[in-house]
Amino acid sequence: MRDENFTEIEPDMIDEVEKTLKSGFCDYKLKDSTFARESFENAQDITLIQMIGEEEIELVFATKYEDGKYYISSGFDIISSDLLEGRESRDIFQSVNMYFRNVIANPDDDFDEERESLVNFLVLSDEKYKRNELEVLLDEDKIRNDYKKDHDEIYSQDDLTDIQKSLALKELLHMSVCEVVNDLELFYTRPLDLSPAEEHEKNRQEAKALENEMQLY
């Protein structure tokens, strides 16, 4: 449905929405249109697809440019906050974690597009993220080489049990993800995919560490 009632939209807001849609990490996507100042200046309709579960809802917004000001269908006010805040509420850790696992599990696949999308998402989410640093940390070859190096070093240690080896490898991968996310509190969390045996071993290690610490007092 096309809304013909207009509301003014600031140029900076147009740019922000454009970046969010391009990031690929929001619940809306463009259909056969672009969300840019030029679209408004040419009075082009903008079609967004809203994703609600597995259902897609098509939203059409008219635009115009008059007397140096930009206008869009008034209905856009209803979804603008949801569109922009969606990128911030999405779980950053889960996104980075999934990227790492996919890169490692598919060594012959190219992840350039996924990496660029993830970098855009992180940069837009928080100013603490720097594009040049992320490009290095999320490089496919670096992730795979680091993982292989950790794997080879851990599994060459004959004094460790199989459970201890798998736990150690998962913890190192978890630390790599936490380094990208850059949240100090996450470094004190456990990997999400520990088996019951690995959980038991981790509990044993922490209890032993606590016992050793108590002996110092």
Side-chain angles (χ1 to χ4, degrees), residues 23 25 113-125 129-132 134-135 138:
S23 75
F25 285 91
E113 186 174 333
E114 288 84 352
R115 182 180 67 250
E116 182 64 21
S117 180
L118 182 56
V119 168
N120 288 339
F121 167 48
L122 293 172
V123 170
L124 287 167
S125 297
Y129 296 114
K130 307 303 178 186
R131 182 175 295 275
N132 59 334
L134 292 172
E135 292 286 357
L138 295 174

mmCIF file of all heavy atoms in Angstrom, residues 23 25 113-125 129-132 134-135 138:
data_model
loop_
_atom_site.group_PDB
_atom_site.id
_atom_site.type_symbol
_atom_site.label_atom_id
_atom_site.label_comp_id
_atom_site.label_asym_id
_atom_site.label_seq_id
_atom_site.Cartn_x
_atom_site.Cartn_y
_atom_site.Cartn_z
ATOM 1 N N SER A 23 24.032 -2.777 5.506
ATOM 2 C CA SER A 23 24.772 -3.647 6.419
ATOM 3 C C SER A 23 24.269 -5.080 6.382
ATOM 4 O O SER A 23 25.006 -6.020 6.673
ATOM 5 C CB SER A 23 24.664 -3.116 7.857
ATOM 6 O OG SER A 23 23.376 -3.390 8.401
ATOM 7 N N PHE A 25 22.171 -6.337 8.376
ATOM 8 C CA PHE A 25 21.841 -6.801 9.711
ATOM 9 C C PHE A 25 20.673 -6.002 10.296
ATOM 10 O O PHE A 25 20.779 -5.371 11.348
ATOM 11 C CB PHE A 25 23.068 -6.699 10.631
ATOM 12 C CG PHE A 25 24.081 -7.755 10.360
ATOM 13 C CD1 PHE A 25 25.103 -7.537 9.460
ATOM 14 C CD2 PHE A 25 24.004 -8.982 10.986
ATOM 15 C CE1 PHE A 25 26.042 -8.516 9.199
ATOM 16 C CE2 PHE A 25 24.942 -9.969 10.731
ATOM 17 C CZ PHE A 25 25.972 -9.736 9.837
ATOM 18 N N GLU A 113 31.971 -11.557 0.931
ATOM 19 C CA GLU A 113 30.705 -10.827 1.076
ATOM 20 C C GLU A 113 30.229 -10.851 2.525
ATOM 21 O O GLU A 113 29.793 -9.828 3.061
ATOM 22 C CB GLU A 113 29.644 -11.450 0.175
ATOM 23 C CG GLU A 113 28.337 -10.688 0.146
ATOM 24 C CD GLU A 113 27.351 -11.245 -0.864
ATOM 25 O OE1 GLU A 113 27.798 -11.848 -1.867
ATOM 26 O OE2 GLU A 113 26.139 -11.078 -0.651
ATOM 27 N N GLU A 114 30.326 -12.022 3.162
ATOM 28 C CA GLU A 114 29.898 -12.141 4.553
ATOM 29 C C GLU A 114 30.781 -11.291 5.472
ATOM 30 O O GLU A 114 30.288 -10.669 6.422
ATOM 31 C CB GLU A 114 29.950 -13.603 5.004
ATOM 32 C CG GLU A 114 28.884 -14.483 4.403
ATOM 33 C CD GLU A 114 29.256 -15.005 3.022
ATOM 34 O OE1 GLU A 114 30.287 -14.552 2.469
ATOM 35 O OE2 GLU A 114 28.523 -15.860 2.498
ATOM 36 N N ARG A 115 32.098 -11.273 5.185
ATOM 37 C CA ARG A 115 33.004 -10.472 6.001
ATOM 38 C C ARG A 115 32.673 -8.989 5.888
ATOM 39 O O ARG A 115 32.609 -8.272 6.894
ATOM 40 C CB ARG A 115 34.460 -10.713 5.591
ATOM 41 C CG ARG A 115 35.459 -9.935 6.461
ATOM 42 C CD ARG A 115 36.902 -10.172 6.074
ATOM 43 N NE ARG A 115 37.212 -9.622 4.768
ATOM 44 C CZ ARG A 115 37.455 -10.353 3.682
ATOM 45 N NH1 ARG A 115 37.409 -11.660 3.738
ATOM 46 N NH2 ARG A 115 37.740 -9.779 2.534
ATOM 47 N N GLU A 116 32.451 -8.522 4.668
ATOM 48 C CA GLU A 116 32.132 -7.111 4.464
ATOM 49 C C GLU A 116 30.835 -6.732 5.166
ATOM 50 O O GLU A 116 30.724 -5.665 5.782
ATOM 51 C CB GLU A 116 32.017 -6.823 2.962
ATOM 52 C CG GLU A 116 31.727 -5.361 2.623
ATOM 53 C CD GLU A 116 32.845 -4.419 3.048
ATOM 54 O OE1 GLU A 116 33.991 -4.885 3.236
ATOM 55 O OE2 GLU A 116 32.565 -3.216 3.202
ATOM 56 N N SER A 117 29.853 -7.633 5.096
ATOM 57 C CA SER A 117 28.574 -7.383 5.760
ATOM 58 C C SER A 117 28.750 -7.307 7.273
ATOM 59 O O SER A 117 28.184 -6.442 7.937
ATOM 60 C CB SER A 117 27.575 -8.493 5.393
ATOM 61 O OG SER A 117 26.339 -8.277 6.023
ATOM 62 N N LEU A 118 29.546 -8.220 7.824
ATOM 63 C CA LEU A 118 29.780 -8.233 9.269
ATOM 64 C C LEU A 118 30.568 -7.003 9.713
ATOM 65 O O LEU A 118 30.260 -6.405 10.758
ATOM 66 C CB LEU A 118 30.525 -9.510 9.659
ATOM 67 C CG LEU A 118 30.816 -9.716 11.148
ATOM 68 C CD1 LEU A 118 29.543 -9.652 11.963
ATOM 69 C CD2 LEU A 118 31.530 -11.045 11.371
ATOM 70 N N VAL A 119 31.559 -6.610 8.942
ATOM 71 C CA VAL A 119 32.335 -5.412 9.267
ATOM 72 C C VAL A 119 31.420 -4.185 9.283
ATOM 73 O O VAL A 119 31.478 -3.360 10.212
ATOM 74 C CB VAL A 119 33.489 -5.208 8.261
ATOM 75 C CG1 VAL A 119 34.108 -3.818 8.433
ATOM 76 C CG2 VAL A 119 34.551 -6.283 8.439
ATOM 77 N N ASN A 120 30.569 -4.070 8.280
ATOM 78 C CA ASN A 120 29.636 -2.939 8.226
ATOM 79 C C ASN A 120 28.729 -2.929 9.447
ATOM 80 O O ASN A 120 28.462 -1.874 10.040
ATOM 81 C CB ASN A 120 28.789 -3.015 6.959
ATOM 82 C CG ASN A 120 29.577 -2.688 5.711
ATOM 83 O OD1 ASN A 120 30.624 -2.035 5.780
ATOM 84 N ND2 ASN A 120 29.113 -3.149 4.568
ATOM 85 N N PHE A 121 28.229 -4.096 9.811
ATOM 86 C CA PHE A 121 27.351 -4.223 10.973
ATOM 87 C C PHE A 121 28.041 -3.756 12.246
ATOM 88 O O PHE A 121 27.492 -2.975 13.027
ATOM 89 C CB PHE A 121 26.903 -5.681 11.093
ATOM 90 C CG PHE A 121 26.247 -6.031 12.401
ATOM 91 C CD1 PHE A 121 25.241 -5.246 12.941
ATOM 92 C CD2 PHE A 121 26.637 -7.168 13.086
ATOM 93 C CE1 PHE A 121 24.635 -5.575 14.139
ATOM 94 C CE2 PHE A 121 26.041 -7.513 14.283
ATOM 95 C CZ PHE A 121 25.039 -6.717 14.811
ATOM 96 N N LEU A 122 29.282 -4.196 12.456
ATOM 97 C CA LEU A 122 30.003 -3.840 13.673
ATOM 98 C C LEU A 122 30.340 -2.354 13.717
ATOM 99 O O LEU A 122 30.176 -1.705 14.756
ATOM 100 C CB LEU A 122 31.280 -4.673 13.775
ATOM 101 C CG LEU A 122 31.079 -6.183 13.982
ATOM 102 C CD1 LEU A 122 32.408 -6.914 13.878
ATOM 103 C CD2 LEU A 122 30.414 -6.474 15.300
ATOM 104 N N VAL A 123 30.793 -1.830 12.601
ATOM 105 C CA VAL A 123 31.153 -0.405 12.544
ATOM 106 C C VAL A 123 29.929 0.478 12.808
ATOM 107 O O VAL A 123 30.021 1.502 13.490
ATOM 108 C CB VAL A 123 31.783 -0.061 11.175
ATOM 109 C CG1 VAL A 123 31.932 1.442 11.018
ATOM 110 C CG2 VAL A 123 33.140 -0.742 11.039
ATOM 111 N N LEU A 124 28.792 0.057 12.288
ATOM 112 C CA LEU A 124 27.564 0.817 12.502
ATOM 113 C C LEU A 124 27.028 0.654 13.927
ATOM 114 O O LEU A 124 26.351 1.541 14.446
ATOM 115 C CB LEU A 124 26.486 0.366 11.508
ATOM 116 C CG LEU A 124 26.675 0.797 10.057
ATOM 117 C CD1 LEU A 124 25.722 0.030 9.147
ATOM 118 C CD2 LEU A 124 26.449 2.300 9.912
ATOM 119 N N SER A 125 27.352 -0.472 14.556
ATOM 120 C CA SER A 125 26.808 -0.768 15.880
ATOM 121 C C SER A 125 27.476 0.027 16.986
ATOM 122 O O SER A 125 26.821 0.440 17.949
ATOM 123 C CB SER A 125 26.938 -2.269 16.192
ATOM 124 O OG SER A 125 26.195 -3.034 15.287
ATOM 125 N N TYR A 129 34.490 0.035 17.206
ATOM 126 C CA TYR A 129 34.983 -0.852 16.157
ATOM 127 C C TYR A 129 35.612 -0.045 15.023
ATOM 128 O O TYR A 129 35.001 0.903 14.515
ATOM 129 C CB TYR A 129 33.856 -1.722 15.607
ATOM 130 C CG TYR A 129 33.282 -2.676 16.635
ATOM 131 C CD1 TYR A 129 31.976 -2.536 17.090
ATOM 132 C CD2 TYR A 129 34.043 -3.719 17.147
ATOM 133 C CE1 TYR A 129 31.454 -3.395 18.043
ATOM 134 C CE2 TYR A 129 33.534 -4.593 18.091
ATOM 135 C CZ TYR A 129 32.230 -4.427 18.539
ATOM 136 O OH TYR A 129 31.718 -5.281 19.471
ATOM 137 N N LYS A 130 36.828 -0.425 14.641
ATOM 138 C CA LYS A 130 37.551 0.242 13.570
ATOM 139 C C LYS A 130 37.635 -0.688 12.367
ATOM 140 O O LYS A 130 38.055 -1.844 12.492
ATOM 141 C CB LYS A 130 38.958 0.631 14.033
ATOM 142 C CG LYS A 130 38.973 1.431 15.337
ATOM 143 C CD LYS A 130 38.139 2.709 15.236
ATOM 144 C CE LYS A 130 38.145 3.463 16.569
ATOM 145 N NZ LYS A 130 37.221 4.640 16.533
ATOM 146 N N ARG A 131 37.241 -0.165 11.215
ATOM 147 C CA ARG A 131 37.162 -0.997 10.017
ATOM 148 C C ARG A 131 38.487 -1.685 9.692
ATOM 149 O O ARG A 131 38.521 -2.885 9.389
ATOM 150 C CB ARG A 131 36.699 -0.149 8.831
ATOM 151 C CG ARG A 131 36.546 -0.934 7.525
ATOM 152 C CD ARG A 131 35.963 -0.044 6.436
ATOM 153 N NE ARG A 131 34.615 0.351 6.772
ATOM 154 C CZ ARG A 131 33.533 -0.392 6.516
ATOM 155 N NH1 ARG A 131 33.667 -1.575 5.924
ATOM 156 N NH2 ARG A 131 32.343 0.028 6.841
ATOM 157 N N ASN A 132 39.587 -0.967 9.757
ATOM 158 C CA ASN A 132 40.872 -1.561 9.383
ATOM 159 C C ASN A 132 41.276 -2.681 10.336
ATOM 160 O O ASN A 132 41.852 -3.696 9.922
ATOM 161 C CB ASN A 132 41.967 -0.490 9.330
ATOM 162 C CG ASN A 132 42.158 0.234 10.651
ATOM 163 O OD1 ASN A 132 41.235 0.318 11.468
ATOM 164 N ND2 ASN A 132 43.338 0.775 10.865
ATOM 165 N N LEU A 134 39.111 -4.588 12.059
ATOM 166 C CA LEU A 134 38.193 -5.698 11.813
ATOM 167 C C LEU A 134 38.575 -6.474 10.561
ATOM 168 O O LEU A 134 38.448 -7.698 10.518
ATOM 169 C CB LEU A 134 36.759 -5.169 11.687
ATOM 170 C CG LEU A 134 36.133 -4.611 12.966
ATOM 171 C CD1 LEU A 134 34.791 -3.957 12.652
ATOM 172 C CD2 LEU A 134 35.957 -5.711 14.008
ATOM 173 N N GLU A 135 39.018 -5.759 9.537
ATOM 174 C CA GLU A 135 39.417 -6.420 8.298
ATOM 175 C C GLU A 135 40.535 -7.429 8.564
ATOM 176 O O GLU A 135 40.595 -8.500 7.950
ATOM 177 C CB GLU A 135 39.874 -5.388 7.264
ATOM 178 C CG GLU A 135 38.769 -4.486 6.730
ATOM 179 C CD GLU A 135 37.849 -5.219 5.755
ATOM 180 O OE1 GLU A 135 38.099 -6.391 5.447
ATOM 181 O OE2 GLU A 135 36.867 -4.593 5.310
ATOM 182 N N LEU A 138 39.094 -10.419 10.966
ATOM 183 C CA LEU A 138 38.097 -11.271 10.317
ATOM 184 C C LEU A 138 38.587 -11.855 8.991
ATOM 185 O O LEU A 138 37.796 -12.451 8.259
ATOM 186 C CB LEU A 138 36.807 -10.458 10.075
ATOM 187 C CG LEU A 138 36.083 -10.005 11.343
ATOM 188 C CD1 LEU A 138 34.914 -9.095 10.996
ATOM 189 C CD2 LEU A 138 35.604 -11.199 12.162
#
